Amino acid sequence: QVQLVESGGGLVQAGGSLRLSCAASGRAFGTYAMGWFRQAPGKERELVATINWTGGSTYYADSVKGRFTISRDNAKNTVYLQMNSLKPEDTAVYYCAARREIGIFFSQDKVNYWGQGTQVTVSS
């Protein structure tokens, strides 16, 4: 079993930056692909970014490409989401996700573990 704990959310003005962190329990973190999803009020949860087990392969949703960066530190069992040039439409609860496979994934159907979520609010 893997537990995921997100941190780093908050309130920021448009154009600002935030860095989310997700700390994972368990020895197998280094063999899991990881990802970030988000869910805005009244909308379905959507994929933001995913990263493979080594960090050498990443995928981004078109809406965040060029602004967000996903990374991981396997020595610290942590995955990060650096969010720059934030927009009001980025406002959502952001969820960390883990998949018991090494390759990147593109759907929440592939997720084995979820974090509890952290709120990101971007004011205009």
Side-chain angles (χ1 to χ4, degrees):
Q1 188 72 12
V2 173
Q3 290 187 328
L4 305 174
V5 179
E6 301 99 333
S7 60
L11 174 63
V12 64
Q13 289 188 332
S17 298
L18 282 175
R19 188 176 81 154
L20 304 183
S21 299
C22 172
S25 64
R27 298 180 178 179
F29 174 81
T31 63
Y32 289 1
M34 301 295 295
W36 289 94
F37 291 74
R38 67 186 181 186
Q39 186 168 21
K43 295 187 177 182
E44 294 186 353
R45 187 157 49 187
E46 63 176 1
L47 174 65
V48 175
T50 62
I51 188 167
N52 75 335
W53 68 302
T54 65
S57 180
T58 57
Y59 171 84
Y60 296 94
D62 287 343
S63 58
V64 305
K65 201 172 295 183
R67 300 188 298 122
F68 290 11
T69 302
I70 187 171
S71 62
R72 65 190 296 161
D73 185 336
N74 287 345
K76 296 182 178 180
N77 275 22
T78 302
V79 63
Y80 305 97
L81 185 68
Q82 178 67 45
M83 305 185 295
N84 299 328
S85 302
L86 282 161
K87 305 175 181 180
E89 51 263 44
D90 294 318
T91 295
V93 177
Y94 283 70
Y95 296 92
C96 180
R99 170 167 164 77
R100 289 193 303 260
E101 299 288 345
I102 60 174
I104 58 173
F105 54 98
F106 308 99
S107 168
Q108 59 182 320
D109 294 341
K110 304 297 184 183
V111 174
N112 297 112
Y113 305 104
W114 291 98
Q116 82 288 352
T118 186
Q119 177 70 46
V120 171
T121 303
V122 184
S123 63
S124 57

